[in-house]
Amino acid sequence: MPESSRTIISTAPFLHDQATTPRIMWEVVLSMMPLLLAGFYFFGLSAVLVTAVCVLACMGTEWLFQGGAKLRDGSALITGMLLAFTLPPGFPLWMAFVGGVVAIGMGKAIWGGLGQNIFNPALVGRAFLQAAFPGAITTWELPDGQYLTGRGGNFSLPFLKADVVDAISGATPLAKMKFSHELTNWSDLLVGNTSGCIGETSTALILLAGLYLAYRGLINWRIPIGIFIAVATLSALVYGSAPDRYPPPHFMLMAGGLMLGAVYMATDLVTSPLTSNGIWIYSCGIGALVVLIRLWGGLPEGVMYAILLMNAATPLINRYTRRRVYGHS
Amino acid sequence: MHSDQSYTGSLQTFRHGVHPESYKERSSASPIERMPFVEEYTMHLNQHLGAPSKPIVREGQRVRRGELIAEAGGFVSVALHAPVDGTVVAIDLFSHPNGQMQPAIKIRIDPYSTQRMEVPLPEIPVEQMDYQAFINGVQQAGIVGMGGAAFPAHVKFAIPEGKVCRYLMLNGCECEPFLTCDHRIMVEYADALIDGTRILQHFVQAEKIFIGIEANKPDAIAILREAAGSSGLPIEVAPLQVKYPQGAEKMMITAILGEEVPSGKLPLDVGTMVSNVGTIVAVADYFRRSKPLIERVLTVTGTAVQRAANLLVPIGTPMRQVVEYCGGITVPSPRILLGGPMMGMVQKNLDVPVVKGTSGILILTDKEVQSFDTYSCIRCGRCLDACPLFLNPAKMGLLAKNGLWDELEENNVLDCFECASCSFVCPSGIPLVQSFRVGKSMIREKKARENK
Ligand code: SF4
Ligand code: SF4
């Protein structure tokens, strides 16, 4: 183990709390398993394939840059799973692999590794894929109960575009809203029985996972709560002003990647502010940006950019929300 | 501000801090036992903060129990007394618990002596002394802060020109895991504690006296409430929330008064004098029974010692014999700590004597003194939520690691009192407080150089 040095303790403290970084990371991975299962339930083997490829790419890249010891902290595994959860189930596997490499390579390694990066690595990978493959990443499919067949797009090869186009596409709730003003049933949104990314569709499961993580102290509950409050208030105001033109707040909260983003992406420890005040600014900022982008931007979804933008603002927020040190005025 | 709360209700405390397991059950119900006399005692001249004491005895000289053997070496220094009737056999360098060889007086016991102490009481009763005579008395009695730092008590008891002592606080928090000696002192020496308080109060004339006790010592709280009630002194027993480092001076003041001690200032700057309960008992011992500080209560505990106990041990007793009295060590390669596990020090072996600041001898197994892997900082913020001073240990740790001492100082590392809460919670096992100790000494060194 060259990278993680074993500390032989010769000075106080001689007691240590139970939580260790690997344990924190593995518990987060555990909390994501139900979401992966739901992905499998709705989208079949494709969900598992895309996730496996992303995880492989992330862990392989981590290993390449940082060596095997760093894999034990589990963070590359989380990045891989999170990246996959934000991809459509029929996404070509080779592109998913590229996304994984970019997530770790550009999202983390070039910053100097875990703890140094400014942006959430999974979202860096996602943003890259969105820019590089705008077609594939907006090719959606409906849950169809076909568990064992891979989706058409999964096995397409680089530079041969044909397969992607062949896929039967089903617009996401957000796209339906944006482009044809069609509201998706709230119970489908709650369960996750809609088209969308692998791990983002089931509002109920993500909320449960979030409750667990908050209860265990693994995420800062203020982050999702701040986002929810901001999204709910702003969209309620907008909806109240013109109910026939804008979606209602519950739709804004449950559709698309908001839940997944609020519980798993925005809460990334490394890229969110350190103090409670900073966290309120950060989380409300994300919520506000999501509403802005979704309602008035060109894209149906804005969670990814909202989080990345507030990630970028985090160092600044940290600077301006310094705490008053005990005994200083 | 404080209020009269019962300890079953909401408890006063400071903000942040941590909750290590207490491990106190092993010894908290064991009454204080008197450690039997042994053959030889090593009296270090340097067992308090400040200048070492100056020996006034020669090799071969006979000394009596309680007799002065070294006088204070300056204002910030205290006297030293023989713990037994015996003969000075050497004045030489001996191993000190701080790891160095340091000058000490070795006394061989007189095996035929009854060890009765026959030092006369001071000529005038303490109540008739003036403040200065009282301060001198405390210094001559060799009394130091018994909480562990061993700072000369008379220096703390002296109120500088222009300052007033509105509150007197007795510290019975004992927030370090494992230690129970202060707990037993409060339970068993309650009368002496109140008596010592009466003496100190006679001089400082505080408006109010608080005894801060963590709520996990209900027997001590009950006994002291009763003793305080019949004392006629303005004492309030304040049960405090069980939280580390509740026993740190600043944290106790904040818990009880709701006020902060300004950075770089002393408790007296907010009108408060804080003293450990053991120190106050030592004051009563000297002025009422003319017994100087020649013995102290300490806790011997840990999973690798046969029997956990609270012992009244003469200063200078070899630690090996103290541990043997408790049945010895039960594992082949123990880890020995002096003081508590959060702020104590590793001791390589037991061939050092008990000093005035020895509050506990902890014998743990190798496994318990966990060694763990270190990972990168994941910016989880746990250290920020732990630091009772609201510092930013994560940032300070990074600065210290990179040797950026100036920036480290700007981030207030000099305020850090090394409570180790940050290292305790860090899931990445980053040696935070350890690096702050280094950083602080680098900054101090640099300042000393600049001031030349
Ligand atoms: S507790 Fe450790 S890992 Fe967490 S922010 Fe502090 S230094 Fe970093
Ligand atoms: S920074 Fe200093 S005062 Fe703060 S928790 Fe760490 S050791 Fe304690």
Side-chain angles (χ1 to χ4, degrees):
Chain A
M1 293 172 286
E3 270 85 11
S4 81
S5 48
R6 193 130 189 124
T7 314
I8 303 300
I9 310 175
S10 54
T11 52
F14 302 96
L15 292 180
H16 196 268
D17 205 10
Q18 292 298 310
T20 63
T21 292
R23 243 193 251 192
I24 292 174
M25 297 292 184
W26 286 104
E27 218 171 315
V28 173
V29 169
L30 196 75
S31 78
M32 289 162 70
M33 284 305 168
L35 301 186
L36 183 58
L37 278 177
F40 174 67
Y41 176 76
F42 292 123
F43 305 113
L45 208 54
S46 283
V48 181
L49 279 177
V50 173
T51 309
V53 167
C54 284
V55 167
L56 205 76
C58 284
M59 294 185 70
T61 313
E62 179 94 337
W63 180 77
L64 215 64
F65 277 105
Q66 308 270 343
K70 288 277 165 167
L71 288 178
R72 284 185 309 146
D73 68 24
S75 65
L77 176 54
I78 295 184
T79 300
M81 291 180 73
L82 282 181
L83 171 64
F85 282 10
T86 63
L87 298 177
F91 199 63
L93 296 181
W94 75 268
M95 293 183 189
F97 190 87
V98 172
V101 172
V102 170
I104 296 293
M106 287 177 46
K108 205 159 87 174
I110 59 162
W111 300 90
L114 180 62
Q116 311 291 310
N117 48 308
I118 289 183
F119 298 104
N120 182 324
L123 291 182
V124 170
R126 173 59 153 83
F128 174 84
L129 292 177
Q130 177 134 346
F133 312 112
I137 211 158
T138 45
T139 303
W140 307 101
E141 302 178 42
L142 286 166
D144 57 6
Q146 302 217 3
Y147 295 130
L148 298 180
T149 44
R151 309 263 148 179
N154 285 153
F155 303 104
S156 72
L157 294 170
F159 315 114
L160 301 175
K161 293 211 163 156
D163 286 352
V164 180
V165 183
D166 278 353
I168 323 128
S169 74
T172 62
L174 280 174
K176 284 189 200 159
M177 184 72 217
K178 181 131 199 150
F179 302 121
S180 50
H181 203 80
E182 187 184 326
L183 200 60
T184 306
N185 195 335
W186 69 267
S187 62
D188 281 342
L189 289 172
L190 194 65
V191 174
N193 193 23
T194 65
S195 83
C197 301
I198 290 170
E200 75 175 20
T201 59
S202 176
T203 301
L205 274 185
I206 300 172
L207 266 183
L208 279 177
L211 280 176
Y212 171 78
L213 293 173
Y215 168 74
R216 297 280 297 144
L218 300 176
I219 59 171
N220 191 323
W221 58 269
R222 292 176 188 86
I223 296 177
I225 295 297
I227 295 176
F228 296 158
I229 292 176
V231 169
T233 336
L234 275 180
S235 55
L237 284 176
V238 176
Y239 178 69
S241 71
D244 49 329
R245 282 181 46 210
Y246 295 109
H250 79 265
F251 175 82
M252 290 289 277
L253 285 173
M254 301 206 299
L258 190 94
M259 280 295 153
L260 189 73
V263 170
Y264 281 101
M265 304 286 191
T267 52
D268 177 26
L269 298 168
V270 175
T271 53
S272 55
L274 282 163
T275 65
S276 299
N277 284 344
I279 276 177
W280 287 120
I281 300 173
Y282 168 84
S283 56
C284 293
I286 291 175
L289 283 172
V290 167
V291 175
L292 283 180
I293 299 173
R294 275 186 182 176
L295 298 186
W296 296 291
L299 295 165
E301 179 56 302
V303 173
M304 176 179 80
Y305 290 117
I307 295 176
L308 285 173
L309 278 170
M310 290 314 285
N311 282 166
T314 292
L316 205 68
I317 295 177
N318 275 336
R319 184 155 334 138
Y320 286 104
T321 50
R322 275 219 203 163
R323 306 182 296 178
R324 188 182 65 82
V325 172
Y326 178 100
H328 289 248
S329 45
Chain B
M1 279 311 282
H2 72 274
S3 59
D4 217 336
Q5 286 160 317
S6 118
Y7 66 95
T8 47
S10 73
L11 294 165
Q12 293 163 289
T13 192
F14 62 100
R15 287 174 65 200
H16 290 178
V18 294
H19 294 95
E21 225 190 297
S22 97
Y23 299 100
K24 290 182 193 273
E25 321 71 49
R26 272 206 98 197
S27 57
S28 58
S30 314
I32 298 169
E33 302 163 51
R34 176 174 280 284
M35 163 92 192
F37 289 105
V38 298
E39 301 82 59
E40 277 187 342
Y41 292 85
T42 309
M43 307 302 291
H44 276 285
L45 297 175
N46 175 19
Q47 36 185 307
H48 47 262
L49 287 180
S53 319
K54 286 191 300 212
I56 58 162
V57 289
R58 293 164 283 105
E59 269 178 40
Q61 184 176 331
R62 285 185 55 82
V63 291
R64 304 299 310 272
R65 179 165 149 86
E67 184 180 331
L68 187 72
I69 55 172
E71 22 173 62
F75 177 61
V76 186
S77 179
V78 295
L80 191 62
H81 305 78
V84 289
D85 288 355
T87 312
V88 175
V89 290
I91 302 177
D92 206 342
L93 297 180
F94 294 99
S95 311
H96 190 284
N98 69 10
Q100 297 168 355
M101 297 295 282
Q102 297 215 319
I105 302 171
K106 189 165 243 177
I107 298 171
R108 180 163 303 140
I109 198 169
D110 172 359
Y112 302 109
S113 161
T114 56
Q115 301 296 354
R116 277 237 329 269
M117 213 181 57
E118 281 159 7
V119 186
L121 276 169
E123 282 134 48
I124 35 173
V126 61
E127 277 84 0
Q128 285 160 35
M129 292 180 180
D130 62 14
Y131 207 124
Q132 192 52 48
F134 165 70
I135 295 292
N136 292 344
V138 174
Q139 185 179 25
Q140 277 154 23
I143 301 173
V144 301
M146 306 291 273
F151 189 73
H154 67 280
V155 181
K156 267 182 129 181
F157 292 163
I159 303 174
E161 203 66 49
K163 305 255 162 77
V164 279
C165 171
R166 297 181 58 202
Y167 306 109
L168 178 59
M169 280 188 198
L170 310 195
N171 190 344
C173 293
E174 200 163 48
C175 59
E176 272 272 10
F178 284 101
L179 300 186
T180 55
C181 50
D182 286 352
H183 183 181
R184 295 311 308 176
I185 285 173
M186 290 187 283
V187 170
E188 297 180 48
Y189 300 165
D191 291 339
L193 180 57
I194 299 294
D195 197 22
T197 309
R198 189 186 304 284
I199 295 171
L200 190 54
Q201 167 69 354
H202 174 78
F203 292 99
V204 303
Q205 294 292 327
E207 283 165 28
K208 183 118 198 185
I209 302 164
F210 294 97
I211 308 181
I213 308 176
E214 279 195 345
N216 57 0
K217 306 172 190 61
D219 48 349
I221 293 169
I223 286 171
L224 284 177
R225 277 207 170 140
E226 204 185 313
S230 52
S231 68
L233 296 170
I235 298 180
E236 179 185 322
V237 176
L240 303 177
Q241 193 177 314
V242 182
K243 191 163 78 173
Y244 181 87
Q246 184 65 75
E249 238 170 41
K250 287 182 175 179
M251 299 307 114
M252 193 171 81
I253 291 171
T254 303
I256 293 177
L257 298 179
E259 251 176 81
E260 291 181 5
V261 182
S263 167
K265 300 280 177 167
L266 295 171
L268 268 177
D269 291 303
V270 289
T272 307
M273 183 184 289
V274 185
S275 183
N276 170 268
V277 288
T279 316
I280 302 294
V281 170
V283 168
D285 278 350
Y286 180 68
F287 288 103
R288 302 292 196 217
R289 302 197 283 137
S290 80
K291 182 182 146 200
L293 186 62
I294 53 172
E295 44 195 17
R296 71 156 294 149
V297 182
L298 56 83
T299 305
V300 182
T301 183
T303 42
V305 66
Q306 192 71 44
R307 179 174 79 88
N310 299 295
L311 303 178
L312 181 61
V313 184
I315 308 295
T317 309
M319 287 190 191
R320 183 171 302 282
Q321 277 164 301
V322 177
V323 174
E324 271 161 19
Y325 177 72
C326 293
I329 296 175
T330 57
V331 297
S333 57
R335 296 293 295 261
I336 303 157
L337 310 182
L338 297 186
M342 296 297 283
M343 293 181 81
M345 288 189 323
V346 175
Q347 190 57 45
K348 289 205 187 64
N349 61 54
L350 287 169
D351 296 316
V352 291
V354 167
V355 291
K356 291 175 180 177
T358 311
S359 51
I361 305 176
L362 236 71
I363 319 273
L364 301 175
T365 63
D366 235 351
K367 253 192 228 134
E368 278 171 306
V369 178
Q370 297 140 319
S371 63
F372 45 84
D373 294 330
T374 51
Y375 297 89
S376 327
C377 170
I378 54 170
R379 301 170 55 81
C380 65
R382 283 166 201 242
C383 53
L384 280 91
D385 290 339
C387 180
L389 298 186
F390 287 69
L391 298 171
N392 185 338
K395 184 163 183 201
M396 286 154 56
L398 215 61
L399 295 173
K401 190 174 160 196
N402 295 317
L404 299 169
W405 311 125
D406 290 339
E407 287 185 46
L408 188 61
E409 191 184 347
E410 278 160 33
N411 281 273
N412 303 305
V413 74
L414 293 179
D415 282 305
C416 164
F417 64 103
E418 300 172 23
C419 71
S421 300
C422 48
S423 295
F424 173 79
V425 293
C426 177
S428 286
I430 298 170
L432 296 166
V433 66
Q434 294 87 333
S435 70
F436 304 157
R437 288 192 199 111
V438 176
K440 280 165 76 174
S441 64
M442 298 311 281
I443 292 167
R444 294 218 172 96
E445 209 172 275
K446 198 175 140 227
K447 283 195 168 164
R449 227 179 300 124
E450 280 163 5
N451 288 344
K452 259 184 202 151

